[in-house]
Amino acid sequence: MASSPQTPPGDAPDLDALREAIGSGDPTRAMPALTQLRFCSDEEAVPLLVLGTQQQAFLVRSLSCSGLGYKRTDQGWTVLEQLLSSDEDANVRAEAANALVSYGVVRSWPLLRAAFGADGAWLVRCSILSGLAEQPEINLAWLLELAEIAIADGDGTVRVSGAEILGRIVRESQGVPIGEQARALLQPLQQDQDHRVVAAALNGLQGG
């Protein structure tokens, strides 16, 4: 039967049917089944999400990574850590990075810092920057470290993200050494070849 398993409201999901659909190799069956895992406990969902990360279709692996950010166990963390460094598709690595952030900034920082330095894909770098920047408890010195790498990237989108982070640090750290460091890094970006970077730099400099 090719139809995707559906879970009526109030009914427990059929884990065997979901497992079969996720492992079927057919994204049109696997994707709806993965979304049904939100009705499962972490212990029930994570093994099936891990199964999803092992499928050939990158969309299935990517959605499975996203799910592991909501259904969190040590097994899920281990799988995300492996995918962040080894998956061939940047979309999957980016989703793995986002999911790891949800386990906590302090725990995920060493992994994400290493990945940011090692992975040149613009999507992965932007995902790490945005994911960490959204965390209210993030250490601004950590963001400064990433932003300094980002503004030297060959991709304009990554440089824009770095410039925006620097602008935030300038706004939040006026009169503090880290704010002055961020301002000094923004100054040369006013001559960047990408007009988006220039705009982000100007905006950041005007903000503090």
Side-chain angles (χ1 to χ4, degrees):
M1 183 175 177
S3 62
S4 299
Q6 296 296 318
T7 302
D11 286 1
D14 182 338
L15 294 178
D16 288 334
L18 294 178
R19 182 180 297 106
E20 196 277 328
I22 292 167
S24 68
D26 180 355
T28 64
R29 297 184 61 213
M31 302 286 276
L34 287 167
T35 64
Q36 291 292 311
L37 295 177
R38 67 184 184 276
F39 300 114
C40 301
S41 69
D42 291 2
E43 289 70 25
E44 291 171 332
V46 167
L48 299 186
L49 289 165
V50 170
L51 175 63
T53 68
Q54 298 164 352
Q55 302 307 303
Q56 186 172 2
F58 85 87
L59 286 172
V60 174
R61 299 201 307 280
S62 184
L63 183 60
S64 299
C65 286
S66 178
L68 289 171
Y70 293 96
K71 303 291 186 178
R72 296 189 285 272
T73 68
D74 286 340
Q75 181 192 16
W77 167 274
T78 300
V79 170
L80 289 168
E81 182 178 4
Q82 293 167 347
L83 292 168
L84 177 63
S85 62
S86 65
D87 197 278
E88 64 188 19
D89 194 288
N91 294 277
V92 178
R93 300 196 304 277
E95 282 294 349
N98 265 328
L100 285 164
V101 174
S102 68
Y103 283 74
V105 171
V106 173
R107 184 178 182 185
S108 61
W109 164 252
L111 276 179
L112 297 177
R113 169 63 184 86
F116 195 86
D119 196 325
W122 71 268
L123 186 59
V124 176
R125 285 191 160 186
C126 287
S127 182
I128 291 172
L129 272 177
S130 63
L132 288 172
E134 288 169 4
Q135 307 306 308
E137 72 274 24
I138 187 68
N139 185 327
L140 290 182
W142 292 355
L143 284 183
L144 181 70
E145 185 177 342
L146 294 185
E148 190 166 2
I149 299 169
I151 60 174
D153 195 285
D155 188 281
T157 304
V158 179
R159 296 202 304 280
V160 169
S161 295
E164 289 173 345
I165 295 292
L166 292 173
R168 170 186 166 180
I169 296 171
V170 168
R171 288 191 302 275
E172 296 183 7
S173 307
Q174 296 185 44
V176 179
I178 191 173
E180 295 307 309
Q181 285 178 266
R183 177 178 287 278
L185 290 169
L186 276 174
Q187 296 279 3
L189 298 179
Q190 296 174 93
Q191 281 77 48
D192 194 273
Q193 62 189 14
D194 191 315
H195 67 90
R196 299 172 301 161
V197 179
V198 173
L202 291 171
N203 186 53
L205 289 166
Q206 291 165 1

PDB file of all heavy atoms in Angstrom, residues 6 14 33-34 66 76 79 89 102 142 156 159 161 173 180-182 186 201 207:
ATOM      1  N   GLN A   6      -1.455   7.767   8.368  1.00  0.00           N
ATOM      2  CA  GLN A   6      -2.026   8.957   8.969  1.00  0.00           C
ATOM      3  C   GLN A   6      -2.414   8.641  10.407  1.00  0.00           C
ATOM      4  O   GLN A   6      -2.899   7.552  10.711  1.00  0.00           O
ATOM      5  CB  GLN A   6      -3.260   9.426   8.189  1.00  0.00           C
ATOM      6  CG  GLN A   6      -2.955   9.854   6.761  1.00  0.00           C
ATOM      7  CD  GLN A   6      -2.044  11.068   6.709  1.00  0.00           C
ATOM      8  OE1 GLN A   6      -2.215  12.006   7.477  1.00  0.00           O
ATOM      9  NE2 GLN A   6      -1.080  11.039   5.810  1.00  0.00           N
ATOM     10  N   ASP A  14       1.070   4.563  14.833  1.00  0.00           N
ATOM     11  CA  ASP A  14       1.461   3.167  14.575  1.00  0.00           C
ATOM     12  C   ASP A  14       2.956   3.176  14.235  1.00  0.00           C
ATOM     13  O   ASP A  14       3.356   3.473  13.115  1.00  0.00           O
ATOM     14  CB  ASP A  14       0.635   2.610  13.409  1.00  0.00           C
ATOM     15  CG  ASP A  14       0.950   1.146  13.120  1.00  0.00           C
ATOM     16  OD1 ASP A  14       2.042   0.678  13.503  1.00  0.00           O
ATOM     17  OD2 ASP A  14       0.112   0.484  12.484  1.00  0.00           O
ATOM     18  N   ALA A  33       5.464  10.613   7.213  1.00  0.00           N
ATOM     19  CA  ALA A  33       5.658   9.748   8.383  1.00  0.00           C
ATOM     20  C   ALA A  33       6.555  10.428   9.413  1.00  0.00           C
ATOM     21  O   ALA A  33       6.301  10.349  10.628  1.00  0.00           O
ATOM     22  CB  ALA A  33       6.262   8.411   7.944  1.00  0.00           C
ATOM     23  N   LEU A  34       7.583  11.107   8.951  1.00  0.00           N
ATOM     24  CA  LEU A  34       8.477  11.815   9.875  1.00  0.00           C
ATOM     25  C   LEU A  34       7.727  12.894  10.646  1.00  0.00           C
ATOM     26  O   LEU A  34       7.967  13.101  11.833  1.00  0.00           O
ATOM     27  CB  LEU A  34       9.652  12.439   9.102  1.00  0.00           C
ATOM     28  CG  LEU A  34      10.713  11.452   8.607  1.00  0.00           C
ATOM     29  CD1 LEU A  34      11.644  12.127   7.607  1.00  0.00           C
ATOM     30  CD2 LEU A  34      11.525  10.879   9.773  1.00  0.00           C
ATOM     31  N   SER A  66      16.163  17.867  11.529  1.00  0.00           N
ATOM     32  CA  SER A  66      15.318  18.872  12.172  1.00  0.00           C
ATOM     33  C   SER A  66      14.536  18.251  13.317  1.00  0.00           C
ATOM     34  O   SER A  66      14.446  18.828  14.415  1.00  0.00           O
ATOM     35  CB  SER A  66      14.365  19.480  11.143  1.00  0.00           C
ATOM     36  OG  SER A  66      13.507  20.428  11.742  1.00  0.00           O
ATOM     37  N   GLY A  76      20.445  10.778  19.633  1.00  0.00           N
ATOM     38  CA  GLY A  76      20.225  11.806  18.616  1.00  0.00           C
ATOM     39  C   GLY A  76      21.408  12.750  18.503  1.00  0.00           C
ATOM     40  O   GLY A  76      21.833  13.109  17.398  1.00  0.00           O
ATOM     41  N   VAL A  79      24.276  11.087  16.575  1.00  0.00           N
ATOM     42  CA  VAL A  79      24.005  11.014  15.134  1.00  0.00           C
ATOM     43  C   VAL A  79      24.161  12.385  14.489  1.00  0.00           C
ATOM     44  O   VAL A  79      24.763  12.519  13.408  1.00  0.00           O
ATOM     45  CB  VAL A  79      22.590  10.443  14.892  1.00  0.00           C
ATOM     46  CG1 VAL A  79      22.197  10.589  13.426  1.00  0.00           C
ATOM     47  CG2 VAL A  79      22.539   8.978  15.311  1.00  0.00           C
ATOM     48  N   ASP A  89      25.716  16.322   1.855  1.00  0.00           N
ATOM     49  CA  ASP A  89      24.825  17.399   1.425  1.00  0.00           C
ATOM     50  C   ASP A  89      24.840  18.546   2.424  1.00  0.00           C
ATOM     51  O   ASP A  89      24.604  18.352   3.624  1.00  0.00           O
ATOM     52  CB  ASP A  89      23.401  16.868   1.265  1.00  0.00           C
ATOM     53  CG  ASP A  89      22.516  17.838   0.510  1.00  0.00           C
ATOM     54  OD1 ASP A  89      22.159  18.879   1.088  1.00  0.00           O
ATOM     55  OD2 ASP A  89      22.199  17.568  -0.667  1.00  0.00           O
ATOM     56  N   SER A 102      19.946  23.383  19.620  1.00  0.00           N
ATOM     57  CA  SER A 102      18.815  23.209  20.531  1.00  0.00           C
ATOM     58  C   SER A 102      19.179  22.384  21.764  1.00  0.00           C
ATOM     59  O   SER A 102      18.432  22.362  22.746  1.00  0.00           O
ATOM     60  CB  SER A 102      17.629  22.572  19.794  1.00  0.00           C
ATOM     61  OG  SER A 102      17.927  21.244  19.434  1.00  0.00           O
ATOM     62  N   TRP A 142      32.161  34.685  21.578  1.00  0.00           N
ATOM     63  CA  TRP A 142      32.063  33.555  20.640  1.00  0.00           C
ATOM     64  C   TRP A 142      31.528  34.036  19.291  1.00  0.00           C
ATOM     65  O   TRP A 142      32.028  33.645  18.244  1.00  0.00           O
ATOM     66  CB  TRP A 142      31.157  32.481  21.211  1.00  0.00           C
ATOM     67  CG  TRP A 142      31.709  31.776  22.413  1.00  0.00           C
ATOM     68  CD1 TRP A 142      32.955  31.946  22.957  1.00  0.00           C
ATOM     69  CD2 TRP A 142      31.055  30.814  23.233  1.00  0.00           C
ATOM     70  NE1 TRP A 142      33.112  31.145  24.060  1.00  0.00           N
ATOM     71  CE2 TRP A 142      31.965  30.434  24.254  1.00  0.00           C
ATOM     72  CE3 TRP A 142      29.792  30.229  23.215  1.00  0.00           C
ATOM     73  CZ2 TRP A 142      31.642  29.497  25.232  1.00  0.00           C
ATOM     74  CZ3 TRP A 142      29.468  29.297  24.188  1.00  0.00           C
ATOM     75  CH2 TRP A 142      30.385  28.936  25.188  1.00  0.00           C
ATOM     76  N   GLY A 156      29.514  36.190  -0.488  1.00  0.00           N
ATOM     77  CA  GLY A 156      28.939  37.434   0.008  1.00  0.00           C
ATOM     78  C   GLY A 156      27.864  37.224   1.055  1.00  0.00           C
ATOM     79  O   GLY A 156      27.733  38.021   1.998  1.00  0.00           O
ATOM     80  N   ARG A 159      29.508  36.788   4.331  1.00  0.00           N
ATOM     81  CA  ARG A 159      30.052  38.059   4.816  1.00  0.00           C
ATOM     82  C   ARG A 159      28.939  38.971   5.344  1.00  0.00           C
ATOM     83  O   ARG A 159      29.129  39.677   6.341  1.00  0.00           O
ATOM     84  CB  ARG A 159      30.837  38.773   3.700  1.00  0.00           C
ATOM     85  CG  ARG A 159      32.076  38.015   3.243  1.00  0.00           C
ATOM     86  CD  ARG A 159      33.110  38.896   2.559  1.00  0.00           C
ATOM     87  NE  ARG A 159      32.592  39.625   1.420  1.00  0.00           N
ATOM     88  CZ  ARG A 159      32.408  39.132   0.202  1.00  0.00           C
ATOM     89  NH1 ARG A 159      32.690  37.839  -0.034  1.00  0.00           N
ATOM     90  NH2 ARG A 159      31.950  39.869  -0.797  1.00  0.00           N
ATOM     91  N   SER A 161      26.188  37.968   6.777  1.00  0.00           N
ATOM     92  CA  SER A 161      25.841  37.426   8.097  1.00  0.00           C
ATOM     93  C   SER A 161      26.865  37.853   9.140  1.00  0.00           C
ATOM     94  O   SER A 161      26.511  38.227  10.264  1.00  0.00           O
ATOM     95  CB  SER A 161      25.754  35.896   8.042  1.00  0.00           C
ATOM     96  OG  SER A 161      24.689  35.480   7.216  1.00  0.00           O
ATOM     97  N   SER A 173      27.279  46.448  22.894  1.00  0.00           N
ATOM     98  CA  SER A 173      28.513  46.567  23.684  1.00  0.00           C
ATOM     99  C   SER A 173      29.160  47.937  23.506  1.00  0.00           C
ATOM    100  O   SER A 173      30.380  48.049  23.367  1.00  0.00           O
ATOM    101  CB  SER A 173      29.500  45.464  23.288  1.00  0.00           C
ATOM    102  OG  SER A 173      28.904  44.197  23.363  1.00  0.00           O
ATOM    103  N   GLU A 180      34.230  47.808  20.529  1.00  0.00           N
ATOM    104  CA  GLU A 180      35.213  48.529  19.723  1.00  0.00           C
ATOM    105  C   GLU A 180      35.903  47.588  18.736  1.00  0.00           C
ATOM    106  O   GLU A 180      36.217  47.973  17.600  1.00  0.00           O
ATOM    107  CB  GLU A 180      36.244  49.210  20.630  1.00  0.00           C
ATOM    108  CG  GLU A 180      35.662  50.309  21.507  1.00  0.00           C
ATOM    109  CD  GLU A 180      34.877  51.335  20.689  1.00  0.00           C
ATOM    110  OE1 GLU A 180      35.423  51.845  19.682  1.00  0.00           O
ATOM    111  OE2 GLU A 180      33.716  51.616  21.036  1.00  0.00           O
ATOM    112  N   GLN A 181      36.131  46.352  19.161  1.00  0.00           N
ATOM    113  CA  GLN A 181      36.703  45.360  18.250  1.00  0.00           C
ATOM    114  C   GLN A 181      35.773  45.128  17.064  1.00  0.00           C
ATOM    115  O   GLN A 181      36.213  45.066  15.914  1.00  0.00           O
ATOM    116  CB  GLN A 181      36.924  44.030  18.985  1.00  0.00           C
ATOM    117  CG  GLN A 181      38.096  43.998  19.939  1.00  0.00           C
ATOM    118  CD  GLN A 181      38.169  42.643  20.635  1.00  0.00           C
ATOM    119  OE1 GLN A 181      37.656  42.450  21.728  1.00  0.00           O
ATOM    120  NE2 GLN A 181      38.802  41.684  19.976  1.00  0.00           N
ATOM    121  N   ALA A 182      34.494  44.980  17.359  1.00  0.00           N
ATOM    122  CA  ALA A 182      33.510  44.744  16.302  1.00  0.00           C
ATOM    123  C   ALA A 182      33.441  45.936  15.358  1.00  0.00           C
ATOM    124  O   ALA A 182      33.371  45.777  14.129  1.00  0.00           O
ATOM    125  CB  ALA A 182      32.137  44.464  16.915  1.00  0.00           C
ATOM    126  N   LEU A 186      34.194  46.164  11.283  1.00  0.00           N
ATOM    127  CA  LEU A 186      33.176  46.634  10.340  1.00  0.00           C
ATOM    128  C   LEU A 186      33.716  47.703   9.394  1.00  0.00           C
ATOM    129  O   LEU A 186      33.269  47.790   8.240  1.00  0.00           O
ATOM    130  CB  LEU A 186      31.970  47.201  11.101  1.00  0.00           C
ATOM    131  CG  LEU A 186      30.918  46.218  11.587  1.00  0.00           C
ATOM    132  CD1 LEU A 186      29.892  46.947  12.446  1.00  0.00           C
ATOM    133  CD2 LEU A 186      30.232  45.522  10.421  1.00  0.00           C
ATOM    134  N   ALA A 201      27.382  46.684   6.834  1.00  0.00           N
ATOM    135  CA  ALA A 201      28.432  47.360   7.596  1.00  0.00           C
ATOM    136  C   ALA A 201      28.004  48.753   8.004  1.00  0.00           C
ATOM    137  O   ALA A 201      28.174  49.161   9.154  1.00  0.00           O
ATOM    138  CB  ALA A 201      29.712  47.406   6.781  1.00  0.00           C
ATOM    139  N   GLY A 207      24.610  51.925  14.146  1.00  0.00           N
ATOM    140  CA  GLY A 207      23.828  51.457  15.275  1.00  0.00           C
ATOM    141  C   GLY A 207      24.490  51.667  16.621  1.00  0.00           C
ATOM    142  O   GLY A 207      23.874  51.466  17.671  1.00  0.00           O
TER     143      GLY A 207
END
